[in-house]
Amino acid sequence: MPLLLPIHRLPARLAVVLVLSLDGAVQAEGFGRWDTKLRDCSLLQGRMELPLQAQQQTCQRLRLEQNMEGLLSVRLIQPSAHQRFGSQTLVFGGVLAEGQQTMRCNTNGECQPRWPIRLEVATVASSLADDQGVAPTLPTAQLARGSCLLERRALQCQARDQNGHFWEAKARH
């Protein structure tokens, strides 16, 4: 018959190690990122009343970041040719739509998406620049409403805020 001791009778160090290892195994797998190179990408941002003046940009990489279970950010990245370490990005952040599964992440923070992914967008952050690498505005982050649909080989995101700004992204990977 094995000897079973209540947890309060285990040596303190052993109890802490057991609790942390059980807790860490669950939590460590809940966050991380996945990224890939894009074949085609089009980013658009502007104002609803001035659609012909919308700024268009391309991007080269897609990064999905899961910092908490159920929360996801879709980051579209274009390395800047005019800044050594800079880049322009458009980020759609929000919660997974009802019934969607979180990404599977290992303890190193490497994740694998479970396609398709439907995201209810709550915020948009952008730092887009023109062809010469000049940003016409400061980087921004704002509350917005929209959605993203990410499939195994394509994505489509759109969002609008209450002040008439809009953001759209289409890409294939």
Side-chain angles (χ1 to χ4, degrees), residues 99-115:
Q100 297 294 294
Q101 295 183 356
T102 60
M103 291 194 298
R104 287 183 296 248
C105 302
N106 65 25
T107 55
N108 294 329
E110 298 166 349
C111 300
Q112 186 60 44
R114 298 177 191 184
W115 311 108

Side-chain angles (χ1 to χ4, degrees), residues 120-124 142-147 158-162 167:
E120 296 174 1
V121 175
T123 61
V124 174
Q142 7 202 5
L143 296 175
R145 288 183 170 245
S147 63
Q158 59 80 28
R160 288 165 179 41
D161 73 5
Q162 64 184 16
W167 301 266

Side-chain angles (χ1 to χ4, degrees), residues 62-95:
L62 165 64
R63 179 177 299 150
L64 303 180
E65 296 175 349
Q66 179 174 281
N67 295 323
M68 274 180 73
E69 197 169 299
L71 299 179
L72 190 70
S73 66
V74 176
R75 184 177 302 265
L76 297 142
I77 304 166
Q78 172 64 41
S80 175
H82 303 281
Q83 298 177 12
R84 187 171 181 175
F85 300 107
S87 65
Q88 295 102 38
T89 62
L90 182 60
V91 181
F92 295 89
V95 296

